C-alpha cells in the first residue's frame, strides 16, 4: 500500500506542483463572473488606485477590391496591387498625420501563398504634415510561372522617424 510518510521532500514538491496545476487549470466559463480580475466587483474591492492602462490593440489590415486591384489598408498606409503581363504592379501610399515632417518606411511582401514571395521597401523622405507620399513599382516580374489572379499582399512593417536637421 502507498503511504504518504514514504515520500521524500523532493517528491512532496512534485506532488504539490501537480496539485496546483490540476486545481489551477480552468477556463473562464467555469469561473464565477465576479471572480474575474476585470469584473466591476473585483475592481471595486481593490484599492482606489486607477486600473493600469491597457495597451491598444495593433491595427488590423483591411482588404478590399476595386475591379482587379486588391487594396490592403493598415492605418494611414495603403497598398494597391494589380496583376498584369509584367508582374504585380504595386502602389504604396502613406500619409503623415503628426505635426512634424517625418520619414516613413514601409515594407511590403507579395506572393502566391505557396512557393514564392518578393519583398520591397518603400522609403518616403521628408513627408510634410498632412501630406501623402506614394510610389509605384512592379514586383514579381522575375517570377518564372503563372502569377496569381489574387496575390497575397502583406504590409510587413511601417516605421517612421523625425529626420535630423541638416547642418
Amino acid at each position: 500500500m502507498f503511504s504518504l510518510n514514504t515520500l521524500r521532500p523532493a517528491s512532496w514538491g512534485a506532488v504539490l506542483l501537480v496539485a496546483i496545476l490540476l486545481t489551477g487549470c480552468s477556463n473562464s466559463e467555469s469561473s464565477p463572473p465576479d471572480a474575474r480580475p476585470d469584473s466591476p466587483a473585483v475592481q471595486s474591492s481593490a484599492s482606489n488606485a486607477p486600473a493600469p492602462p491597457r495597451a491598444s490593440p495593433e491595427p488590423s489590415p483591411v482588404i478590399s477590391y476595386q475591379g482587379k486591384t486588391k487594396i490592403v489598408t493598415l492605418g494611414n498606409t495603403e497598398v494597391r496591387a494589380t496583376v498584369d503581363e509584367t508582374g504585380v504592379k504595386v502602389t504604396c501610399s502613406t500619409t503623415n498625420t503628426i505635426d512634424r515632417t517625418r520619414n516613413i518606411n514601409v515594407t511590403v511582401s507579395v506572393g502566391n501563398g505557396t512557393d514564392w514571395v518578393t519583398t520591397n521597401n518603400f522609403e518616403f523622405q521628408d513627408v510634410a504634415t498632412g501630406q501623402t507620399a506614394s510610389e509605384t513599382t512592379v514586383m514579381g516580374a522575375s517570377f518564372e510561372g503563372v502569377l496569381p489572379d489574387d496575390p497575397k499582399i502583406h504590409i510587413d512593417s511601417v516605421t517612421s522617424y523625425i529626420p535630423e536637421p541638416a547642418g
Side-chain angles (χ1 to χ4, degrees), residues 34-150:
D34 290 334
R36 292 188 314 250
D38 60 344
S39 71
V42 172
Q43 286 178 355
S44 64
S45 67
S47 69
N48 290 334
R54 293 184 182 186
S56 59
E58 291 291 319
S60 297
V62 175
I63 300 172
S64 60
Y65 293 86
Q66 187 175 24
K68 291 176 61 177
T69 301
K70 185 174 194 173
I71 304 166
V72 179
T73 305
L74 182 65
N76 299 317
T77 302
E78 177 184 270
V79 174
R80 293 174 173 258
T82 306
V83 177
D84 64 18
E85 62 278 349
T86 62
V88 182
K89 180 180 171 184
V90 177
T91 301
C92 178
S93 303
T94 188
T95 302
N96 180 3
T97 59
I98 67 168
D99 61 354
R100 294 184 62 185
T101 296
R102 66 179 173 163
N103 296 342
I104 305 170
N105 297 325
V106 181
T107 303
V108 175
S109 294
V110 176
N112 64 0
T114 55
D115 61 353
W116 74 269
V117 66
T118 183
T119 302
N120 191 60
N121 294 311
F122 295 91
E123 297 180 3
F124 304 107
Q125 303 294 314
D126 298 318
V127 182
T129 301
Q131 296 299 307
T132 299
S134 185
E135 183 181 329
T136 301
T137 190
V138 176
M139 297 174 68
S142 63
F143 174 68
E144 299 286 331
V146 178
L147 291 170
D149 290 331
D150 187 17

